Amino acid sequence: TQRPVTARMAAGTRRMGALMASLYTARQPDGQGRIHYTDEEHGTWRILIARQLAALDGKACDEYQAGLARLDLPLNRIPQLGEINAALMPATGWSVAAVPALISFDHFFALLADRRFPVATFIRRRDELDYLQEPDIFHEIFGHCAMLTNPAFAHFTHLYGRLGLHASKEERVYLARLYWFTVEFGLLQGEEGLRIYGGGILSSIGETAYALSGKPELQPFDLLEILRTPYRIDIMQPTYFVLPRLDTLYGLEGQGIMAAVAEARRLGLRPPRFAPVAGKQAS
C-alpha cells in the first residue's frame, strides 16, 4: 500500500539513483556560497518544519533533540549549508556537501568516507509535501544532520562510507539494508521508552505516527538479520530494528560488518513480509 511519507533514501535506492531521471533541479550557490530560494520555497520549509516538530514531540530520541538544538534550524526559511557546517564541524568533524538530486554509488560513499553528508539543494513542491521519491533538503537537513552531531552516529556513518567505497556491487546491495534499517529507519530503546533516530522517519509525518503505533513488528538490533531482511521503498515498513542504545554503533567494526555481509549472502534473504511490486523485486 502506498503511503504519505517524505523522501525514501537508502544506499542503492533513491539517493544513488544514477540511472533515474530526477524531477527536480538542485539550486547552485552563488559566488559567496549562498543558495537563493524563492518565497514559496521558504514557505514550504516553514510548513514542513512546523508540523514535523509538533509530530516528533515525545517520539524523537534524546540524541536527536540535542542535535536539533545544536543546529538551531531557522523556522521561517531554508538554512544555508554554511550554517549547518558551523554546527556540525565542532561537534564531530562532519560537514554537508551540495549535490544534485541524484548521485552515483561511488560519489555517495566517497562523501561519507570523507565525513561529508550529501544534501540535494532543492525543496519539494507543495503538491508533494507528504510523499517524495527523491531526498530533498528538508529530508537531508532536518532528518539526518541533527544525528550527525552525535559521535556514535557520526562514527558509524563514516565507517559505512569507507566500507561502501571499497565494497563490490553485490556487497553494496547488502550494505544498503544496513543503512536502511539504521540511518534511515532506525528505532532506539530510550530511557523513557521507544524512540526514533532514523532520518527517514524523523522527516516523515506519516512514518513518525506509524513507527510507534504498535502496528509494525519490532525486532532487536541484529546485524545479520538486518542484512537478510528485504525492504520496499514505497510502503510503510512492516519491520523495524531497535538499538538498545546509540553507543551500540561504536561496537560495529568494518571487519565484522563485511564478515556478516558474506554470511548473509551465503544464507540468502528472509521471505519478504510484503507483496512485491509488479515486475520488480524487493531490495
Side-chain angles (χ1 to χ4, degrees):
T1 303
Q2 297 250 345
R3 80 279 193 238
V5 294
T6 54
R8 321 294 294 164
M9 189 275 277
T13 57
R14 296 304 184 194
R15 158 56 63 198
M16 294 175 291
L19 300 181
M20 293 173 54
S22 173
L23 301 178
Y24 288 89
T25 301
R27 298 278 185 162
Q28 298 301 313
D30 63 18
Q32 286 70 49
R34 294 186 61 82
I35 300 172
H36 299 276
Y37 295 98
T38 66
D39 290 341
E40 180 175 355
E41 288 169 328
H42 287 305
T44 299
W45 175 274
R46 287 195 292 272
I47 293 170
L48 290 169
I49 196 169
R51 71 178 192 173
Q52 200 57 26
L53 285 171
L56 288 173
D57 186 30
K59 296 179 178 178
C61 69
D62 291 343
E63 293 86 349
Y64 175 80
Q65 296 287 16
L68 205 59
R70 186 159 191 159
L71 290 181
D72 192 22
L73 296 175
L75 302 180
N76 63 342
R77 63 174 175 83
I78 301 170
Q80 295 294 323
L81 300 189
E83 296 175 278
I84 306 302
N85 290 340
L88 284 182
M89 284 293 292
T92 56
W94 275 75
S95 63
V96 292
V99 300
L102 299 170
I103 60 177
S104 70
F105 286 90
D106 288 341
H107 190 186
F108 175 76
F109 285 120
L111 286 172
L112 297 188
D114 194 36
R115 294 189 177 89
R116 300 169 68 204
F117 195 81
V119 172
T121 53
F122 70 89
I123 197 162
R124 69 199 69 179
R125 300 189 305 266
R126 296 290 178 91
D127 63 341
E128 291 194 306
L129 281 179
D130 295 333
Y131 180 77
L132 188 68
Q133 291 193 17
E134 304 171 39
D136 71 345
I137 195 167
F138 180 76
H139 171 79
E140 309 283 42
I141 289 180
F142 186 87
H144 289 298
C145 287
M147 288 303 301
L148 284 169
T149 66
N150 177 270
F153 186 87
H155 165 79
F156 171 71
T157 309
H158 179 228
L159 172 64
Y160 182 85
R162 290 190 287 115
L163 292 178
L165 190 60
H166 300 290
S168 68
K169 179 180 178 181
E170 294 75 18
E171 290 170 333
R172 286 175 174 180
V173 174
Y174 282 82
L175 287 175
R177 299 188 187 97
L178 178 58
Y179 195 93
W180 184 263
F181 288 113
T182 55
V183 176
E184 287 295 342
F185 294 98
L187 296 179
L188 177 69
Q189 189 62 51
E191 292 183 1
E192 299 180 357
L194 199 62
R195 293 293 184 265
I196 302 165
Y197 77 92
I201 310 175
L202 292 165
S203 62
S204 165
I205 193 74
E207 197 107 14
T208 294
Y210 171 77
L212 303 184
S213 67
K215 296 177 181 178
E217 177 188 4
L218 304 181
Q219 294 189 26
F221 183 88
D222 183 297
L223 177 59
L224 186 59
E225 282 302 305
I226 285 173
L227 295 173
R228 299 182 65 199
T229 299
Y231 63 85
R232 261 181 58 181
I233 65 175
D234 62 337
I235 62 170
M236 294 287 189
Q237 295 305 302
T239 303
Y240 296 99
F241 289 87
V242 183
L243 273 176
R245 60 187 184 280
L246 206 61
D247 281 354
T248 302
L249 296 176
Y250 272 131
L252 298 176
E253 45 84 25
Q255 185 175 358
I257 291 175
M258 296 313 295
V261 166
E263 180 66 2
R265 292 178 65 186
R266 186 185 70 82
L267 294 173
L269 297 184
R270 295 294 190 188
R273 297 185 62 243
F274 47 76
V277 179
K280 294 183 180 180
Q281 294 183 342
S283 298

